[in-house]
Amino acid sequence: ARALRLILGDQLNPLHSWFEHPDPGVVHVLMEVRQETDYVLHHAQKILAIFAAMRDFARHLREAGHRVRYVAIDDPSNRQDMTQNLAALMAHYGARELSYQQPDEWRVSENLRTWGASQTFSVREVDSEHFYTSRDEVAEFFGPRRQWLMEAFYRHMRQRHGVLMDTSGAPMGGRWNFDHDNREPWQGTPLLPPDARPVHDHRGLWETVRQAGVQSFGNPQAGEFHWPLNRAQALAWLDHFIQSALPNFGAYEDAMSAGNPRLFHSQLSFALNTKMLHPDEVVRQAQAAYEAGHAPLAAVEGFIRQILGWREYVRGVYWAHMPGYETRNALGHARPLPAWFWTGQTTMRCMRDAIGNSLENAYAHHIQRLMVIGNFALLAGLDPGAVHQWYLGVYIDAFEWVELPNTVGMSQFADGGLLGTKPYVSSASYIDRMSDYCQACPYDRKQRTGDRACPFNALYWDFFARHQPLLQDNRRLAMVYQQWRKTPEHVQTALRDQAALTLSRLDDL
Ligand code: DLZ
């Protein structure tokens, strides 16, 4: 063979220009390697989904007439390291040229770049042909500004790509953002859409992964595996989402309901982040649903903002701040994760449901991630690096470029406020308003002190009290600090004592 092309586990896009015409001089290489399974402790389903999707992709390429070399996790020739495998394969095929698509993760990008620079054959990086923006485009858009307002970037993207814009150049519906229509709790109606995802049996593959010694956590669900594993399945699932869930996505996008992990969310993030789907086709289909009168503007705009706005924006934040972003810790938080992050065994019903769901399905929707798990982690002062590793490992859609800014920046405020203008924290009242968790919880959402008090309440006030020097001048927190200052001193003391007691026994909550 003349050339090798490396395809990473999150580059499963059959529409990439690489695959336009089969070329017998080119061998496509996919590899299952411990380097990638072990950089963090992964949820079993994440490993399974990526391996199964990679295997499916290799099959698809072969059927389309391409040459493929698939290095399985238990292949005796597997050196379990990308560049070592590549070096051996280049020699084996006598190839003179290696290409790879731009990796989305800094770690892998650096690894390939530095190794490639010292090889005797030519090494070429090509575009992954997936994102709307290049790595540096968001940074260029904001220039020297200290705070990067997503909303400004999002409007720019709407205009530039002509999404939800009317012919006069104004946003459809006369507004850019309909979020105040989108904050409904869900109380059993409208009825939830059916789960029409394909079911796969991966018991054989799971046995192979275990035999290879790969460590993991969470329920593998190997016999009843629900994630779309190729473009055809992802397209069918996209279509089903648009038909059955998108019309209600907006109103209930922040709602939570015990035992109902999906509600009206798309769960398309795994298919998107592995590049089975292109973001623009998802955006255009959602827009078409609005234009056809099938879904309200508030739902469609809210959904599109996540993909056209937020997703591209966080990627730009990632590339502007790597390396180093993963160790940010503006609030100096250092507590280890309570043991129940790995078991779900806590009596706090919201945490039990959100973490239990994460362990069961390798998935939780954004409000469970942000306003339950992330909220608690921030209030309790958990080490943001450890929180980041947990999120990166547990969620099926978590690749560092998207997970890191969401966790360290948006959720844990560990970058000191680049993404979020204030920390995303709340006491029990927000969780109670948006969910049915508090109704059957052993803790009392109304109590702030005492054995039965919801831990979020005292922790909430303690968080603001202990970070007063850093946060009190934030204009968006003026009301919070005003309320704290008005709180009688003996109540302040009781709240802080309660918080100290809670923090001393996090494992037992
Ligand atoms: C996440 C992951 C895992 C668990 N395993 C592999 C693998 O064995 N081979 C592979 O090519 N990719 C894997 N991935 C996805 C990579 O980590 C991903 O390509 C990088 O994070 C770059 O974004």
Side-chain angles (χ1 to χ4, degrees):
R2 184 182 79 251
L4 257 51
R5 288 175 179 165
L6 171 68
I7 299 165
L8 295 171
D10 62 350
Q11 298 178 332
L12 308 180
N13 170 18
L15 302 184
H16 192 278
S17 57
W18 268 0
F19 311 121
E20 264 164 37
H21 308 287
D23 179 344
V26 173
V27 176
H28 297 90
V29 177
L30 293 100
M31 49 175 98
E32 299 170 353
V33 281
R34 295 296 294 269
Q35 173 191 335
E36 294 308 300
T37 57
D38 294 9
Y39 62 78
V40 76
L41 185 65
H42 277 118
H43 194 295
Q45 284 184 52
K46 186 175 171 192
I47 300 166
L48 258 182
I50 287 172
F51 282 15
M54 287 171 70
R55 289 173 181 217
D56 190 284
F57 194 69
R59 204 155 40 234
H60 166 87
L61 288 182
R62 285 196 185 107
E63 278 165 20
H66 300 282
R67 284 179 74 181
V68 177
R69 173 65 184 256
Y70 195 91
V71 183
I73 194 79
D74 58 351
D75 188 323
S77 76
N78 191 342
R79 289 163 170 80
Q80 305 295 347
D81 175 278
M82 274 189 199
T83 55
Q84 284 183 36
N85 279 343
L86 285 173
L89 290 169
M90 288 300 288
H92 173 81
Y93 287 101
R96 310 267 305 278
E97 189 189 306
L98 171 70
S99 308
Y100 61 87
Q101 297 177 24
Q102 185 176 62
D104 286 327
E105 191 170 328
W106 185 86
R107 176 183 60 81
V108 178
S109 186
E110 277 300 291
N111 182 218
L112 290 173
R113 195 180 58 78
T114 51
W115 170 80
S118 63
Q119 303 309 308
T120 52
F121 45 83
S122 92
V123 179
R124 227 156 53 90
E125 181 183 274
V126 307
D127 197 328
S128 68
E129 302 173 11
H130 175 78
F131 292 97
Y132 284 99
T133 48
S134 68
R135 279 181 183 173
D136 302 328
E137 215 169 310
V138 173
E140 282 157 17
F141 174 80
F142 287 105
R145 262 166 284 196
R146 199 185 66 83
Q147 198 140 47
W148 291 16
L149 275 184
M150 203 294 283
E151 188 67 24
F153 169 73
Y154 169 58
R155 292 180 187 185
H156 159 77
M157 291 293 281
R158 287 267 298 271
Q159 287 168 308
R160 180 159 153 214
H161 296 281
V163 174
L164 296 180
M165 302 298 293
D166 67 26
T167 43
S168 70
M172 282 183 186
R175 281 200 320 236
W176 295 98
N177 184 317
F178 295 84
D179 254 2
H180 61 85
D181 301 341
N182 283 354
R183 303 216 171 100
E184 301 288 324
W186 181 77
Q187 275 146 352
T189 52
L191 291 183
L192 299 179
D195 186 348
R197 291 177 300 172
V199 182
H200 318 272
D201 187 334
H202 286 313
R203 278 173 290 199
L205 177 55
W206 181 236
E207 206 36 49
T208 305
V209 171
R210 281 174 13 128
Q211 295 273 329
V214 179
Q215 300 299 303
S216 68
F217 70 108
N219 186 344
Q221 298 261 23
E224 203 182 308
F225 193 83
H226 286 282
W227 297 96
L229 296 176
N230 57 39
R231 180 168 164 78
Q233 290 169 8
L235 281 171
W237 180 238
L238 167 63
D239 191 55
H240 187 263
F241 163 70
I242 301 241
Q243 290 310 319
S244 66
L246 177 63
N248 291 313
F249 167 79
Y252 306 104
E253 96 180 278
D254 289 358
M256 296 175 285
S257 167
N260 292 307
R262 182 186 167 214
L263 297 179
F264 301 93
H265 289 271
S266 74
Q267 300 190 325
L268 285 166
S269 47
F270 175 70
L272 269 167
N273 293 350
T274 51
K275 305 181 181 60
M276 294 170 190
L277 297 178
H278 191 283
D280 197 52
E281 67 189 328
V282 177
V283 163
R284 298 293 163 188
Q285 281 212 35
Q287 171 164 333
Y290 167 63
E291 286 166 348
H294 170 66
L297 186 55
V300 171
E301 187 283 314
F303 178 73
I304 285 178
R305 177 152 27 97
Q306 306 312 319
I307 296 170
L308 181 68
W310 185 254
R311 185 169 183 265
E312 300 283 324
Y313 168 83
V314 293
R315 177 164 177 265
V317 168
Y318 178 77
W319 284 105
H321 295 282
M322 283 303 284
Y325 199 77
E326 75 285 9
T327 56
R328 294 277 199 109
N329 193 354
L331 298 175
H333 285 169
R335 265 190 199 88
L337 305 190
W340 39 261
F341 266 71
W342 310 98
T343 63
Q345 297 301 315
T346 165
T347 41
M348 291 181 284
R349 194 152 172 260
C350 56
M351 290 294 278
R352 188 186 184 87
D353 189 68
I355 290 184
N357 172 28
S358 305
L359 296 171
E360 190 64 17
N361 302 312
Y363 176 82
H365 71 65
H366 80 126
I367 289 296
Q368 291 181 311
R369 295 189 204 192
L370 182 69
M371 293 310 292
V372 178
I373 305 172
N375 183 7
F376 183 87
L378 182 52
L379 291 180
L382 305 187
D383 170 6
V387 176
H388 150 57
Q389 300 229 318
W390 187 82
Y391 276 76
L392 181 60
V394 76
Y395 293 119
I396 196 136
D397 49 34
F399 297 90
E400 198 185 68
W401 65 269
V402 59
E403 175 278 331
L404 186 64
N406 271 304
T407 307
V408 161
M410 172 88 171
S411 168
Q412 298 302 294
F413 206 70
D415 65 3
L418 180 79
L419 267 91
T421 48
K422 63 168 183 170
Y424 277 86
V425 289
S426 79
S427 61
S429 62
Y430 172 86
I431 295 172
D432 186 39
R433 186 163 67 249
M434 295 313 299
S435 77
D436 56 10
Y437 290 143
C438 304
Q439 292 157 25
C441 182
Y443 292 105
D444 183 341
R445 67 185 187 277
K446 298 268 191 227
Q447 287 185 41
R448 303 197 296 179
T449 55
D451 281 354
R452 291 194 54 235
C454 169
F456 281 79
N457 292 336
L459 289 178
Y460 176 82
W461 288 111
D462 187 63
F463 171 83
F464 284 110
R466 70 179 191 266
H467 292 303
Q468 191 157 2
L470 203 79
L471 299 177
Q472 66 182 349
D473 296 327
N474 184 323
R475 279 174 39 229
R476 295 194 63 196
L477 298 173
M479 297 257 284
V480 174
Y481 279 107
Q482 206 172 38
Q483 209 179 327
W484 178 244
R485 279 186 216 102
K486 278 196 312 207
T487 305
E489 212 174 301
H490 72 277
V491 178
Q492 289 190 357
T493 307
L495 284 167
R496 300 213 60 185
D497 288 349
Q498 173 83 18
L501 183 68
T502 303
L503 291 172
S504 72
R505 46 181 292 272
L506 282 184
D507 273 338
D508 304 324
L509 292 181

